[in-house]
Coordinates of all heavy atoms in Angstrom, one line a residue:
D185 N 91.7 -31.4 -26.1 CA 91.3 -30.1 -26.6 C 90.9 -30.2 -28.1 O 91.7 -30.7 -29.0 CB 92.3 -29.1 -26.5 CG 92.5 -28.6 -25.0 OD1 91.7 -29.0 -24.2 OD2 93.4 -27.8 -24.8
G186 N 89.7 -29.7 -28.5 CA 89.3 -29.6 -29.9 C 88.9 -30.9 -30.5 O 88.6 -30.9 -31.7
T187 N 88.7 -31.9 -29.7 CA 88.3 -33.3 -30.3 C 87.0 -33.8 -29.7 O 86.6 -34.9 -30.2 CB 89.4 -34.3 -30.0 OG1 89.5 -34.6 -28.6 CG2 90.8 -33.7 -30.5
V188 N 86.4 -33.2 -28.7 CA 85.3 -33.7 -28.0 C 83.9 -33.5 -28.7 O 83.7 -32.3 -29.2 CB 85.3 -33.2 -26.6 CG1 84.0 -33.7 -25.8 CG2 86.5 -33.6 -25.8
D189 N 83.0 -34.4 -28.8 CA 81.8 -34.3 -29.4 C 80.7 -33.7 -28.5 O 79.8 -33.0 -29.0 CB 81.3 -35.6 -30.0 CG 82.3 -36.2 -31.1 OD1 82.4 -35.5 -32.1 OD2 82.9 -37.2 -30.8
V190 N 80.7 -34.1 -27.3 CA 79.7 -33.7 -26.3 C 80.4 -33.4 -25.0 O 81.2 -34.2 -24.4 CB 78.6 -34.8 -26.0 CG1 77.6 -34.2 -25.1 CG2 78.0 -35.2 -27.3
V191 N 80.2 -32.2 -24.4 CA 80.5 -31.9 -23.1 C 79.3 -31.7 -22.2 O 78.5 -30.9 -22.6 CB 81.5 -30.7 -22.9 CG1 81.7 -30.3 -21.4 CG2 82.8 -30.9 -23.6
V192 N 79.2 -32.4 -21.2 CA 77.9 -32.3 -20.3 C 78.3 -32.1 -18.9 O 79.3 -32.6 -18.4 CB 77.0 -33.6 -20.4 CG1 77.8 -34.9 -20.1 CG2 75.7 -33.5 -19.6
S193 N 77.6 -31.3 -18.2 CA 77.9 -31.0 -16.8 C 76.8 -30.7 -16.0 O 75.8 -30.0 -16.4 CB 78.9 -29.8 -16.7 OG 79.3 -29.6 -15.5
N194 N 76.7 -31.2 -14.7 CA 75.9 -30.7 -13.7 C 76.7 -30.2 -12.6 O 77.0 -30.8 -11.6 CB 75.0 -31.9 -13.2 CG 74.1 -31.4 -12.0 OD1 73.8 -30.2 -11.9 ND2 73.6 -32.4 -11.3
P195 N 77.2 -28.9 -12.8 CA 78.1 -28.3 -11.9 C 77.4 -27.7 -10.7 O 76.2 -27.6 -10.7 CB 78.7 -27.2 -12.7 CG 77.6 -26.7 -13.6 CD 76.9 -27.9 -13.9
P196 N 78.1 -27.4 -9.6 CA 77.5 -26.6 -8.5 C 77.0 -25.3 -9.1 O 77.8 -24.6 -9.8 CB 78.6 -26.5 -7.5 CG 79.8 -26.7 -8.2 CD 79.5 -27.6 -9.4
Y197 N 75.8 -24.8 -8.7 CA 75.3 -23.6 -9.3 C 74.4 -22.8 -8.3 O 73.9 -21.7 -8.6 CB 74.5 -23.8 -10.6 CG 73.5 -24.9 -10.5 CD1 72.2 -24.6 -9.8 CD2 73.7 -26.1 -11.1 CE1 71.2 -25.6 -9.8 CE2 72.7 -27.1 -11.1 CZ 71.5 -26.8 -10.4 OH 70.5 -27.8 -10.4
V198 N 74.3 -23.3 -7.1 CA 73.5 -22.6 -6.1 C 74.2 -21.3 -5.6 O 75.4 -21.4 -5.1 CB 73.1 -23.5 -4.9 CG1 72.3 -22.7 -3.8 CG2 72.4 -24.7 -5.4
P199 N 73.6 -20.1 -5.6 CA 74.2 -19.0 -5.0 C 74.5 -19.2 -3.5 O 73.8 -19.9 -2.8 CB 73.2 -17.8 -5.2 CG 72.4 -18.3 -6.4 CD 72.3 -19.8 -6.2
S200 N 75.5 -18.5 -3.0 CA 76.0 -18.8 -1.6 C 74.9 -18.4 -0.6 O 74.9 -19.0 0.5 CB 77.3 -18.0 -1.3 OG 78.3 -18.4 -2.2
D201 N 74.0 -17.4 -0.9 CA 73.0 -17.0 0.1 C 71.7 -17.7 -0.1 O 70.8 -17.4 0.5 CB 72.9 -15.5 0.0 CG 72.4 -15.1 -1.4 OD1 72.4 -15.8 -2.3 OD2 72.1 -13.9 -1.5
A202 N 71.6 -18.7 -1.1 CA 70.3 -19.4 -1.4 C 70.4 -20.8 -0.7 O 70.6 -21.8 -1.4 CB 70.1 -19.4 -2.8
V203 N 70.3 -20.9 0.6 CA 70.3 -22.2 1.2 C 69.1 -23.1 0.9 O 68.0 -22.6 0.9 CB 70.3 -22.0 2.8 CG1 70.4 -23.4 3.5 CG2 71.6 -21.2 3.2
P204 N 69.3 -24.3 0.3 CA 68.1 -25.1 -0.1 C 67.2 -25.3 1.1 O 67.6 -25.4 2.2 CB 68.9 -26.4 -0.5 CG 70.3 -26.0 -0.9 CD 70.6 -24.9 0.1
R205 N 65.9 -25.4 0.7 CA 64.8 -25.5 1.8 C 64.8 -26.9 2.3 O 64.5 -27.1 3.5 CB 63.5 -25.2 1.2 CG 63.3 -23.7 1.1 CD 62.1 -23.3 0.3 NE 62.1 -23.6 -1.1 CZ 61.1 -23.4 -1.9 NH1 60.0 -22.8 -1.5 NH2 61.2 -23.7 -3.2
D206 N 65.0 -28.0 1.5 CA 64.8 -29.4 1.9 C 66.1 -29.8 2.8 O 67.2 -29.6 2.5 CB 64.9 -30.3 0.7 CG 63.6 -30.2 -0.1 OD1 62.6 -29.7 0.5 OD2 63.5 -30.6 -1.3
P207 N 65.8 -30.3 4.0 CA 66.9 -30.7 4.9 C 67.8 -31.7 4.3 O 69.0 -31.7 4.6 CB 66.2 -31.2 6.2 CG 64.8 -30.5 6.1 CD 64.5 -30.4 4.6
E208 N 67.2 -32.6 3.5 CA 68.0 -33.6 2.9 C 69.2 -33.0 2.0 O 70.2 -33.6 1.9 CB 67.1 -34.5 2.0 CG 66.2 -35.3 2.7 CD 64.9 -34.7 2.9 OE1 64.7 -33.4 2.8 OE2 63.9 -35.4 3.2
V209 N 68.9 -31.9 1.4 CA 69.9 -31.2 0.6 C 70.8 -30.3 1.4 O 72.0 -30.4 1.4 CB 69.2 -30.3 -0.5 CG1 70.2 -29.6 -1.4 CG2 68.3 -31.2 -1.4
A210 N 70.2 -29.4 2.2 CA 70.9 -28.5 2.9 C 71.8 -29.1 4.0 O 73.0 -28.6 4.2 CB 70.0 -27.5 3.7
N211 N 71.4 -30.2 4.6 CA 72.2 -30.8 5.7 C 73.0 -32.0 5.3 O 73.9 -32.4 6.1 CB 71.3 -31.2 6.8 CG 70.5 -30.1 7.4 OD1 70.9 -28.9 7.4 ND2 69.3 -30.4 7.9
H212 N 72.8 -32.5 4.1 CA 73.4 -33.8 3.7 C 74.2 -33.8 2.4 O 75.2 -34.5 2.3 CB 72.5 -34.9 3.7 CG 71.9 -35.2 5.1 ND1 72.6 -35.9 6.1 CD2 70.7 -34.8 5.7 CE1 71.8 -36.0 7.1 NE2 70.7 -35.3 7.0
D213 N 73.7 -33.0 1.4 CA 74.6 -32.9 0.2 C 75.8 -32.0 0.5 O 75.7 -31.0 1.1 CB 73.7 -32.2 -1.0 CG 72.9 -33.2 -1.7 OD1 73.3 -34.4 -1.8 OD2 71.8 -32.9 -2.2
P214 N 77.0 -32.5 0.0 CA 78.2 -31.7 0.2 C 78.1 -30.3 -0.3 O 77.6 -30.1 -1.5 CB 79.3 -32.5 -0.4 CG 78.6 -33.4 -1.4 CD 77.2 -33.6 -0.8
A215 N 78.6 -29.3 0.4 CA 78.5 -27.9 0.0 C 79.2 -27.7 -1.3 O 78.9 -26.9 -2.2 CB 79.0 -27.0 1.1
V216 N 80.4 -28.4 -1.5 CA 81.1 -28.3 -2.7 C 80.4 -28.7 -4.0 O 80.7 -28.2 -5.1 CB 82.5 -29.1 -2.6 CG1 82.2 -30.6 -2.7 CG2 83.5 -28.7 -3.6
A217 N 79.4 -29.4 -3.8 CA 78.6 -29.9 -5.0 C 77.3 -29.0 -5.1 O 76.7 -29.1 -6.2 CB 78.1 -31.3 -4.7
L218 N 77.1 -28.1 -4.2 CA 75.9 -27.3 -4.3 C 76.2 -25.9 -4.8 O 75.6 -25.3 -5.7 CB 75.2 -27.2 -3.0 CG 74.5 -28.4 -2.4 CD1 74.0 -28.2 -1.0 CD2 73.4 -28.9 -3.4
Y219 N 77.2 -25.2 -4.1 CA 77.3 -23.8 -4.2 C 78.4 -23.4 -5.3 O 79.5 -23.8 -5.3 CB 77.8 -23.2 -2.9 CG 76.7 -23.4 -1.8 CD1 76.9 -24.3 -0.8 CD2 75.5 -22.7 -1.9 CE1 75.9 -24.6 0.1 CE2 74.5 -22.9 -0.9 CZ 74.7 -23.9 0.1 OH 73.8 -24.1 1.0
G220 N 77.8 -22.7 -6.3 CA 78.6 -22.4 -7.5 C 79.5 -21.1 -7.3 O 80.2 -20.8 -8.4
L221 N 79.5 -20.5 -6.3 CA 80.3 -19.3 -5.9 C 79.9 -18.1 -6.8 O 79.2 -18.3 -7.8 CB 81.8 -19.6 -6.2 CG 82.4 -20.8 -5.4 CD1 83.8 -21.1 -5.8 CD2 82.1 -20.7 -3.9
G222 N 80.3 -16.9 -6.4 CA 79.9 -15.7 -7.0 C 78.5 -15.3 -6.5 O 77.7 -16.2 -6.0
A223 N 78.1 -14.0 -6.7 CA 76.8 -13.6 -6.3 C 75.7 -14.3 -7.0 O 74.6 -14.5 -6.4 CB 76.7 -12.0 -6.6
D224 N 75.9 -14.7 -8.2 CA 74.8 -15.4 -9.0 C 74.9 -16.9 -9.0 O 74.2 -17.6 -9.5 CB 74.9 -14.9 -10.4 CG 76.2 -15.1 -11.1 OD1 77.1 -15.7 -10.5 OD2 76.3 -14.8 -12.3
G225 N 75.9 -17.5 -8.3 CA 76.1 -18.9 -8.2 C 76.7 -19.5 -9.4 O 76.8 -20.7 -9.5
L226 N 77.2 -18.7 -10.4 CA 77.6 -19.2 -11.7 C 79.1 -19.0 -11.9 O 79.6 -19.2 -13.1 CB 76.9 -18.4 -12.8 CG 75.4 -18.7 -12.9 CD1 74.7 -17.9 -14.0 CD2 75.1 -20.2 -13.2
E227 N 79.9 -18.8 -10.9 CA 81.3 -18.7 -11.0 C 82.0 -20.0 -11.5 O 82.8 -20.1 -12.4 CB 82.0 -18.2 -9.8 CG 83.4 -17.7 -9.9 CD 83.6 -16.6 -10.9 OE1 82.7 -15.7 -11.1 OE2 84.6 -16.6 -11.6
V228 N 81.6 -21.1 -10.8 CA 82.1 -22.4 -11.2 C 81.6 -22.7 -12.6 O 82.3 -23.2 -13.4 CB 81.7 -23.5 -10.2 CG1 82.1 -24.9 -10.7 CG2 82.4 -23.2 -8.9
P229 N 80.2 -22.6 -12.9 CA 79.8 -22.9 -14.2 C 80.5 -22.0 -15.3 O 80.7 -22.5 -16.4 CB 78.3 -22.5 -14.2 CG 78.0 -22.8 -12.8 CD 79.1 -22.4 -12.0
R230 N 81.0 -20.8 -15.0 CA 81.7 -20.1 -16.0 C 83.0 -20.8 -16.4 O 83.4 -20.9 -17.5 CB 82.0 -18.7 -15.5 CG 80.9 -17.7 -15.5 CD 81.3 -16.3 -15.1 NE 80.1 -15.5 -15.0 CZ 79.3 -15.3 -13.9 NH1 79.6 -15.8 -12.8 NH2 78.2 -14.6 -14.0
G231 N 83.7 -21.3 -15.3 CA 84.9 -22.1 -15.6 C 84.7 -23.3 -16.4 O 85.4 -23.7 -17.2
V232 N 83.6 -24.0 -16.1 CA 83.2 -25.2 -16.8 C 82.8 -24.9 -18.2 O 83.2 -25.7 -19.2 CB 82.0 -25.9 -16.1 CG1 81.4 -27.0 -16.9 CG2 82.4 -26.4 -14.7
T233 N 82.2 -23.8 -18.5 CA 81.8 -23.4 -19.8 C 83.0 -23.1 -20.6 O 83.1 -23.4 -21.8 CB 80.8 -22.2 -19.8 OG1 79.6 -22.6 -19.0 CG2 80.4 -21.8 -21.1
A234 N 84.0 -22.4 -20.0 CA 85.2 -22.1 -20.8 C 86.0 -23.4 -21.1 O 86.5 -23.5 -22.2 CB 86.1 -21.2 -19.9
A235 N 85.9 -24.4 -20.2 CA 86.6 -25.6 -20.5 C 85.9 -26.3 -21.6 O 86.5 -26.9 -22.4 CB 86.6 -26.5 -19.2
A236 N 84.6 -26.2 -21.6 CA 83.8 -26.9 -22.7 C 84.1 -26.3 -24.1 O 84.4 -27.0 -25.1 CB 82.3 -26.7 -22.5
A237 N 84.3 -25.0 -24.1 CA 84.7 -24.3 -25.3 C 86.1 -24.8 -25.8 O 86.4 -24.9 -27.0 CB 84.7 -22.8 -25.1
R238 N 87.0 -25.0 -24.8 CA 88.3 -25.5 -25.1 C 88.3 -27.0 -25.7 O 89.0 -27.3 -26.6 CB 89.2 -25.4 -23.9 CG 90.4 -26.2 -24.0 CD 91.4 -25.9 -22.7 NE 90.7 -26.3 -21.5 CZ 90.7 -27.5 -21.0 NH1 91.2 -28.6 -21.7 NH2 90.1 -27.8 -19.8
L239 N 87.5 -27.8 -25.1 CA 87.5 -29.2 -25.3 C 86.7 -29.6 -26.7 O 87.1 -30.5 -27.3 CB 86.8 -30.0 -24.2 CG 87.6 -30.1 -22.9 CD1 86.7 -30.4 -21.7 CD2 88.8 -31.1 -23.0
L240 N 85.6 -28.8 -26.9 CA 84.8 -29.3 -28.0 C 85.3 -29.0 -29.4 O 86.0 -28.0 -29.6 CB 83.4 -28.5 -27.9 CG 82.4 -29.0 -26.8 CD1 81.3 -28.0 -26.6 CD2 81.9 -30.4 -27.2
R241 N 85.1 -29.9 -30.3 CA 85.4 -29.7 -31.7 C 84.3 -28.7 -32.2 O 83.2 -28.6 -31.6 CB 85.3 -30.9 -32.5 CG 83.9 -31.7 -32.5 CD 83.9 -32.8 -33.5 NE 82.6 -33.4 -33.4 CZ 81.5 -33.0 -33.9 NH1 81.4 -31.9 -34.7 NH2 80.3 -33.7 -33.9
P242 N 84.6 -28.0 -33.3 CA 83.5 -27.2 -34.0 C 82.3 -28.1 -34.3 O 82.3 -29.1 -34.8 CB 84.2 -26.7 -35.3 CG 85.7 -26.7 -35.0 CD 85.9 -27.9 -34.1
G243 N 81.1 -27.5 -33.9 CA 79.9 -28.3 -34.0 C 79.5 -29.2 -32.8 O 78.5 -29.8 -32.8
G244 N 80.5 -29.3 -31.9 CA 80.3 -30.1 -30.7 C 79.2 -29.6 -29.8 O 79.0 -28.4 -29.9
L245 N 78.5 -30.3 -29.0 CA 77.4 -29.9 -28.2 C 77.8 -29.8 -26.7 O 78.5 -30.6 -26.1 CB 76.3 -30.9 -28.3 CG 74.9 -30.3 -27.7 CD1 74.3 -29.2 -28.7 CD2 73.9 -31.5 -27.6
Y246 N 77.4 -28.6 -26.1 CA 77.6 -28.4 -24.7 C 76.2 -28.4 -24.0 O 75.3 -27.8 -24.5 CB 78.2 -27.1 -24.5 CG 78.4 -26.7 -23.0 CD1 78.9 -27.5 -22.1 CD2 78.2 -25.3 -22.7 CE1 79.1 -27.1 -20.8 CE2 78.4 -24.9 -21.3 CZ 78.8 -25.8 -20.5 OH 79.0 -25.4 -19.1
V247 N 76.1 -29.1 -22.9 CA 74.9 -29.2 -22.1 C 75.2 -29.0 -20.7 O 76.0 -29.7 -20.1 CB 74.2 -30.7 -22.3 CG1 72.8 -30.6 -21.7 CG2 74.1 -31.0 -23.8
M248 N 74.5 -28.1 -20.1 CA 74.8 -27.8 -18.6 C 73.5 -27.5 -17.8 O 72.7 -26.7 -18.2 CB 75.7 -26.5 -18.5 CG 76.3 -26.2 -17.1 SD 76.7 -24.5 -16.8 CE 75.1 -23.7 -16.5
E249 N 73.4 -28.2 -16.7 CA 72.3 -28.0 -15.9 C 72.4 -26.7 -15.1 O 73.5 -26.3 -14.7 CB 72.1 -29.2 -14.9 CG 70.9 -29.1 -13.9 CD 70.7 -30.3 -13.1 OE1 70.8 -31.4 -13.7 OE2 70.4 -30.2 -11.9
H250 N 71.2 -26.1 -14.8 CA 71.3 -24.9 -13.9 C 69.9 -24.8 -13.2 O 69.0 -25.7 -13.4 CB 71.5 -23.6 -14.7 CG 70.5 -23.5 -15.8 ND1 69.2 -23.1 -15.7 CD2 70.6 -23.5 -17.2 CE1 68.6 -23.1 -16.8 NE2 69.4 -23.3 -17.8
A251 N 69.8 -24.0 -12.3 CA 68.6 -23.7 -11.5 C 67.5 -23.1 -12.5 O 67.9 -22.4 -13.4 CB 68.7 -22.9 -10.3
E252 N 66.3 -23.3 -12.2 CA 65.2 -22.8 -13.1 C 65.1 -21.3 -13.1 O 64.7 -20.7 -14.1 CB 63.9 -23.4 -12.7 CG 63.4 -23.0 -11.3 CD 62.1 -23.7 -11.0 OE1 61.1 -23.4 -11.6 OE2 62.0 -24.5 -10.0
V253 N 65.7 -20.6 -12.1 CA 65.6 -19.2 -12.2 C 66.9 -18.6 -12.8 O 67.1 -17.4 -12.9 CB 65.6 -18.6 -10.7 CG1 64.2 -19.0 -10.0 CG2 66.8 -19.1 -9.9
Q254 N 67.8 -19.5 -13.3 CA 69.1 -19.0 -13.9 C 69.0 -19.2 -15.4 O 70.1 -19.0 -16.0 CB 70.2 -19.8 -13.3 CG 70.5 -19.6 -11.8 CD 71.5 -20.6 -11.3 OE1 71.6 -21.8 -11.6 NE2 72.5 -20.1 -10.5
D255 N 67.9 -19.4 -16.1 CA 68.0 -19.7 -17.5 C 68.5 -18.5 -18.3 O 69.4 -18.7 -19.1 CB 66.6 -20.1 -18.0 CG 65.5 -19.0 -17.7 OD1 65.6 -18.4 -16.6 OD2 64.5 -18.9 -18.5
A256 N 68.1 -17.3 -18.0 CA 68.6 -16.2 -18.8 C 70.1 -15.9 -18.5 O 70.9 -15.7 -19.4 CB 67.7 -14.9 -18.5
A257 N 70.4 -16.0 -17.2 CA 71.8 -15.8 -16.8 C 72.7 -16.8 -17.4 O 73.8 -16.6 -17.8 CB 71.9 -15.8 -15.3
A258 N 72.3 -18.1 -17.5 CA 73.1 -19.2 -18.0 C 73.3 -19.0 -19.5 O 74.4 -19.2 -20.0 CB 72.4 -20.6 -17.7
R259 N 72.2 -18.6 -20.2 CA 72.4 -18.4 -21.6 C 73.4 -17.2 -21.9 O 74.3 -17.3 -22.7 CB 71.1 -18.0 -22.3 CG 70.1 -19.2 -22.4 CD 69.0 -18.8 -23.3 NE 68.3 -17.6 -23.0 CZ 67.3 -17.5 -22.2 NH1 66.8 -18.6 -21.5 NH2 66.7 -16.3 -21.9
A260 N 73.3 -16.1 -21.1 CA 74.2 -15.0 -21.2 C 75.6 -15.4 -21.0 O 76.6 -15.0 -21.6 CB 73.7 -13.9 -20.3
M261 N 75.8 -16.3 -19.9 CA 77.1 -16.8 -19.6 C 77.8 -17.6 -20.7 O 78.9 -17.4 -21.0 CB 77.0 -17.7 -18.3 CG 78.3 -18.3 -17.9 SD 78.0 -19.6 -16.7 CE 77.2 -20.8 -17.7
V262 N 77.0 -18.5 -21.3 CA 77.5 -19.3 -22.4 C 77.8 -18.4 -23.6 O 78.9 -18.5 -24.2 CB 76.5 -20.4 -22.8 CG1 77.0 -21.1 -24.1 CG2 76.3 -21.4 -21.7
D263 N 76.9 -17.4 -23.9 CA 77.2 -16.6 -25.1 C 78.4 -15.6 -24.8 O 79.1 -15.3 -25.8 CB 75.9 -15.7 -25.3 CG 74.8 -16.5 -25.8 OD1 75.0 -17.6 -26.3 OD2 73.6 -16.0 -25.7
A264 N 78.7 -15.3 -23.6 CA 79.7 -14.4 -23.3 C 81.1 -14.9 -23.6 O 82.1 -14.3 -23.8 CB 79.7 -13.9 -21.9
V265 N 81.2 -16.3 -23.6 CA 82.4 -17.0 -24.0 C 82.9 -16.7 -25.4 O 84.1 -16.6 -25.7 CB 82.3 -18.5 -23.7 CG1 83.5 -19.2 -24.2 CG2 82.1 -18.8 -22.2

Side-chain angles (χ1 to χ4, degrees):
D185 284 359
T187 68
V188 176
D189 298 292
V190 183
V191 172
V192 58
S193 183
N194 179 16
Y197 51 73
V198 177
S200 300
D201 61 352
V203 178
R205 284 174 290 184
D206 291 339
E208 291 89 342
V209 179
N211 300 333
H212 296 280
D213 274 329
V216 69
L218 292 176
Y219 299 106
L221 307 180
D224 58 1
L226 293 176
E227 192 60 32
V228 173
R230 286 186 184 91
V232 170
T233 301
R238 166 176 60 82
L239 288 163
L240 285 167
R241 63 170 176 80
L245 191 71
Y246 177 45
V247 188
M248 189 202 79
E249 181 173 318
H250 56 70
E252 60 185 296
V253 297
Q254 293 173 319
D255 54 327
R259 290 195 305 272
M261 175 194 69
V262 174
D263 291 342
V265 173

